[in-house]
Amino acid sequence: MTSFNRSTSRRLKTLTQIPSVWEGDRRPMSSSPTSDSDSEAQGECILWVDGSQGVVRGMDVVSPETGPEAIVRTLMRAMEHPHSPGKPARPQKIVVKDREIQFYLRGVLQDLDIAIDYVPELPLIDELFRGFTEILENQVPDLPPQYAQVLHDKALALWESAPWEFLEEQQILSIEINNWDVGTLYASVMGMLGMEYGILLYRSEDSLKQFRAAVLQDDESQENLEEAFLKQDCLFLTFESEDEMGEDEMDDEDLADLPISEIEPSFGNIHPLEGLRSVLYEEEALTVFVALESLSRFIRDYHNQLDTETFPSLSRRYRISLPKSESESIKPLSVTVSTMPQLAAELEEMAGFDIEELEMGEEDLADFSSLRDDLIPEDSFLSLGVISWEMLESLRQGVQTHQAGEISKVGDGLPVILIQTSRPKAKTVIENILAAGGLKAICFNPGADPFDGDRYDLGLLQTEDDELFLFGEFLDDDPTHIEARKKWNQRCKNTKGYCALIIAKGLTGASRGNPKLRDMMALFEVRSRSPQDLGLGTLQLMPQL
């Protein structure tokens, strides 16, 4: 049995001993079988109460697996740092209703001159626990118990279908339900940017438009954004990481990179007069179930048509059977899901998506002649490096997209350009390269800014349709880049001009800057081309008017 250090015993004995009897006990917070298995209600509560003064001196909630030492830790806090209005002291006597606790405390506290007695009842603690139990059992669950599991399953099924990979937030789907005082819901899919994932189900088209307009107008004011957020009228489903202990690390993690076992769906409601609540009542739960089921079927049926550059006009009716309920049996509902290309165009116009903006750097540099910069996302991570021949073989087998080349395995490995971005953006880059017929070459070409005299080494990708895309601008006198280019040139010489482009996901995750094999989505094995091969000369920066 663990005992106090002598110094601890001496410290506790300096506390004033008061003529009080303290009650102590440890018991489950709730015995209700309907309690949430992940909630605090499944823990055990340790209480120390001064029976003479009728006040709680110490309280703690621990897991059932925690050993008996926790009772002593809480008792020490009750003596040295009691809850208000108690003052530091040690009791003359302690009573418990558990023989094991009694014998354990007698052994641990034997040097503190405290009597430890057994009693069959602890009236103060019994009364407190009755109150705790009533509070816990009267709490409204986040979801009606009869629908909780089916909603959870529907949400994870939707997560696996990943509609945000091909639907943008402004590409709204209408879901006509006509039940529970709900006419049509307007579904907005979040997630293409790799930040927040979920579905917003607006109860009116006006609420959706008003929120969009408010966000665009007040994008610099956090206070106004919060007000606009709370003025929405919608039901929602969002996805979060199940592991909330690593919350700081999760700020940089893309949920799409996590296994489904670590994804946890959350449901709720937003209304201008209610604000936000993470609870769905029965009719709301049924409404969300119907919306998710019909939305999942629509995405399954029209995945290929939706995964295009244009937002097509589509509509389909479904008969949705409702989950069984003990209270009543409801007949299947007829639900119509439709795309809303006209509304999507209106929202895009509000956001200014129809205005093409070409920016080549922080200083609003203009386009180089015969050069495009709309292939590689601006915030991508870029590096010039090398992969070993063993890694090359693994990568050839592991990536979804592979453009092969006949490479001589000479030297320490294959020179590569690595571009890492979010998964949706990586997917778009790959699709655009394939749409151009594939990748033809990786090039470096000199560039110059005649206004400030800077000279650049421009990284270029040439597609099979002979378009040139900028992937990087490097100052010509940057020592780090100079060294990287020397190694690049030597390795390309070893491989007789062969190199590769790797497109990877995970920019916002833990593998940022060092993607693992599972993060790599495409490998394009191509030839390198010299400035002489391109014949472009030095590309001059022209002013943007």
Side-chain angles (χ1 to χ4, degrees), residues 441-445 458-462 468 471 528-530 534:
I442 296 174
C443 331
F444 287 93
N445 198 83
L458 303 177
L460 309 177
L461 300 175
Q462 185 180 25
L468 282 176
F471 72 79
S528 63
R529 296 192 66 186
S530 67
L534 290 175

Side-chain angles (χ1 to χ4, degrees), residues 206-318:
D206 286 343
S207 175
L208 188 157
K209 289 180 179 178
Q210 288 168 9
F211 176 65
R212 293 287 174 140
V215 168
L216 293 171
Q217 181 179 357
D218 297 311
D219 57 353
E220 298 298 326
S221 169
Q222 184 65 32
E223 184 177 329
N224 289 336
L225 276 176
E226 290 178 2
E227 182 179 354
F229 176 83
L230 293 174
K231 283 185 176 179
Q232 294 178 100
D233 185 8
C234 66
L235 299 159
F236 65 82
L237 160 65
T238 58
F239 296 95
E240 301 168 356
S241 167
E242 194 175 45
D243 181 14
E244 296 181 356
M245 297 303 291
E247 189 172 349
D248 293 339
E249 295 180 9
M250 280 305 302
D251 289 342
D252 295 326
E253 185 78 47
D254 187 346
L255 288 183
D257 296 333
L258 299 178
I260 193 170
S261 59
E262 295 183 24
I263 301 300
E264 186 64 31
S266 298
F267 300 86
N269 176 83
I270 307 175
H271 188 274
L273 300 181
E274 282 193 85
L276 183 149
R277 58 173 160 84
S278 298
V279 171
L280 292 184
Y281 293 97
E282 184 166 350
E283 290 186 356
E284 294 168 335
L286 287 170
T287 300
V288 171
F289 170 83
V290 169
L292 295 184
E293 175 64 16
S294 55
L295 189 59
S296 295
R297 294 189 193 181
F298 188 80
I299 289 168
R300 176 200 64 198
D301 294 341
Y302 293 108
H303 181 282
N304 292 335
Q305 292 93 320
L306 293 170
D307 194 3
T308 58
E309 290 188 9
T310 59
F311 190 43
S313 180
L314 303 168
S315 184
R316 186 155 184 173
R317 180 176 295 177
Y318 300 97

Side-chain angles (χ1 to χ4, degrees), residues 449-520:
D449 182 351
F451 302 100
D452 59 15
D454 286 337
R455 300 188 67 81
Y456 296 91
D457 192 21
L458 303 177
L460 309 177
L461 300 175
Q462 185 180 25
T463 50
E464 287 290 352
D465 59 1
D466 287 329
E467 288 278 5
L468 282 176
F469 295 91
L470 181 73
F471 72 79
E473 298 172 83
F474 310 94
L475 283 171
D476 211 30
D477 57 357
D478 179 2
T480 302
H481 179 66
I482 291 171
E483 184 64 26
R485 273 299 310 277
K486 283 182 180 178
K487 293 180 179 179
W488 172 270
N489 292 339
Q490 183 58 51
R491 287 163 177 155
C492 286
K493 185 177 179 181
N494 292 339
T495 59
K496 297 182 179 180
Y498 272 101
C499 55
L501 171 70
I502 296 174
I503 305 296
K505 65 180 181 179
L507 178 67
T508 58
S511 60
R512 174 184 172 87
N514 185 28
K516 306 297 184 286
L517 183 62
R518 64 182 175 84
D519 297 315
M520 298 179 186

Side-chain angles (χ1 to χ4, degrees), residues 122-388:
L122 299 171
L124 277 175
I125 288 182
D126 289 343
E127 183 63 29
L128 285 170
F129 270 104
R130 276 194 292 272
F132 292 157
T133 301
E134 288 179 8
I135 292 171
L136 289 171
E137 293 181 351
N138 289 331
Q139 280 183 337
V140 177
D142 291 346
L143 295 171
Q146 66 270 33
Y147 304 130
Q149 188 60 50
V150 69
L151 277 172
H152 186 271
D153 294 343
K154 287 296 174 193
L156 291 184
L158 192 67
W159 170 266
E160 290 190 300
S161 69
W164 38 81
E165 290 190 356
F166 48 87
L167 284 176
E168 300 182 42
E169 291 184 25
Q170 75 276 4
Q171 294 177 321
I172 305 301
L173 303 175
S174 68
I175 305 172
E176 188 178 343
I177 296 177
N178 295 324
N179 210 315
W180 306 295
D181 296 319
V182 174
T184 300
L185 295 176
Y186 300 88
S188 174
V189 177
M190 304 184 298
M192 183 165 279
L193 296 179
M195 298 170 67
E196 300 287 340
Y197 292 87
I199 310 290
L200 298 177
L201 300 167
Y202 288 91
R203 293 187 178 92
S204 73
E205 193 175 324
D206 286 343
S207 175
L208 188 157
K209 289 180 179 178
Q210 288 168 9
F211 176 65
R212 293 287 174 140
V215 168
L216 293 171
Q217 181 179 357
D218 297 311
D219 57 353
E220 298 298 326
S221 169
Q222 184 65 32
E223 184 177 329
N224 289 336
L225 276 176
E226 290 178 2
E227 182 179 354
F229 176 83
L230 293 174
K231 283 185 176 179
Q232 294 178 100
D233 185 8
C234 66
L235 299 159
F236 65 82
L237 160 65
T238 58
F239 296 95
E240 301 168 356
S241 167
E242 194 175 45
D243 181 14
E244 296 181 356
M245 297 303 291
E247 189 172 349
D248 293 339
E249 295 180 9
M250 280 305 302
D251 289 342
D252 295 326
E253 185 78 47
D254 187 346
L255 288 183
D257 296 333
L258 299 178
I260 193 170
S261 59
E262 295 183 24
I263 301 300
E264 186 64 31
S266 298
F267 300 86
N269 176 83
I270 307 175
H271 188 274
L273 300 181
E274 282 193 85
L276 183 149
R277 58 173 160 84
S278 298
V279 171
L280 292 184
Y281 293 97
E282 184 166 350
E283 290 186 356
E284 294 168 335
L286 287 170
T287 300
V288 171
F289 170 83
V290 169
L292 295 184
E293 175 64 16
S294 55
L295 189 59
S296 295
R297 294 189 193 181
F298 188 80
I299 289 168
R300 176 200 64 198
D301 294 341
Y302 293 108
H303 181 282
N304 292 335
Q305 292 93 320
L306 293 170
D307 194 3
T308 58
E309 290 188 9
T310 59
F311 190 43
S313 180
L314 303 168
S315 184
R316 186 155 184 173
R317 180 176 295 177
Y318 300 97
R319 287 190 66 78
I320 307 297
S321 297
L322 300 178
K324 293 181 179 179
S325 170
E326 297 178 359
S327 58
E328 59 178 321
S329 177
I330 307 176
K331 295 180 181 179
L333 297 182
S334 177
V335 179
T336 302
V337 183
S338 308
T339 58
M340 303 188 72
Q342 186 173 349
L343 176 58
E346 185 179 339
L347 295 176
E348 288 178 359
E349 186 177 354
M350 287 171 59
F353 289 176
D354 56 332
I355 302 173
E356 186 173 351
E357 297 180 1
L358 297 177
E359 298 179 357
M360 295 188 62
E362 296 178 355
E363 300 175 355
D364 295 327
L365 304 180
D367 297 343
F368 286 101
S369 176
S370 304
L371 182 61
R372 293 173 58 180
D373 70 337
D374 55 350
L375 178 64
I376 306 302
E378 281 187 20
D379 58 352
S380 301
F381 174 83
L382 168 69
S383 71
L384 282 69
V386 64
I387 58 172
S388 67

